[in-house]
Amino acid sequence: LVIMPHNLLVVDYGLGHPGSIHDTWAFQGTHIASRLGDLIPEDHWTWADSAYPTEEWCTVPFKKPKGGQLSRDQNLYN
């Protein structure tokens, strides 16, 4: 489900995938993945969880490195 935070308008959603499918695969079946320019205007972006691609239009949190820690700045950003 993709919702615009300023007006809570639903702009995209995905149906039909089982709950066990990884978010990355479910995302590939959405309109936003294939028709980005139609759903997210230029100079806009969206927040997503770390399973989604890091793109100019998609901001995701930092993942903790295996066996390591996030920096203070990364924690603050997340």
Side-chain angles (χ1 to χ4, degrees):
L1 184 61
V2 179
I3 301 171
M4 302 305 281
H6 67 286
N7 60 8
L8 302 181
L9 178 70
V10 174
V11 294
D12 197 14
Y13 60 92
L15 297 174
H17 295 290
S20 60
I21 194 169
H22 193 277
D23 289 347
T24 302
W25 292 108
F27 174 72
Q28 295 305 316
T30 64
H31 290 287
I32 201 168
S34 61
R35 296 182 18 219
L36 176 66
D38 295 343
L39 299 174
I40 299 182
E42 190 175 335
D43 297 328
H44 285 70
W45 52 274
T46 186
W47 284 302
D49 73 24
S50 59
Y52 294 88
T54 301
E55 301 283 350
E56 286 183 24
W57 58 269
C58 187
T59 302
V60 297
F62 287 98
K63 292 181 187 179
K64 186 175 98 173
K66 201 172 202 170
Q69 296 293 323
L70 295 177
S71 71
R72 181 178 183 279
D73 287 343
Q74 290 170 325
N75 274 319
L76 226 108
Y77 175 86
N78 285 354

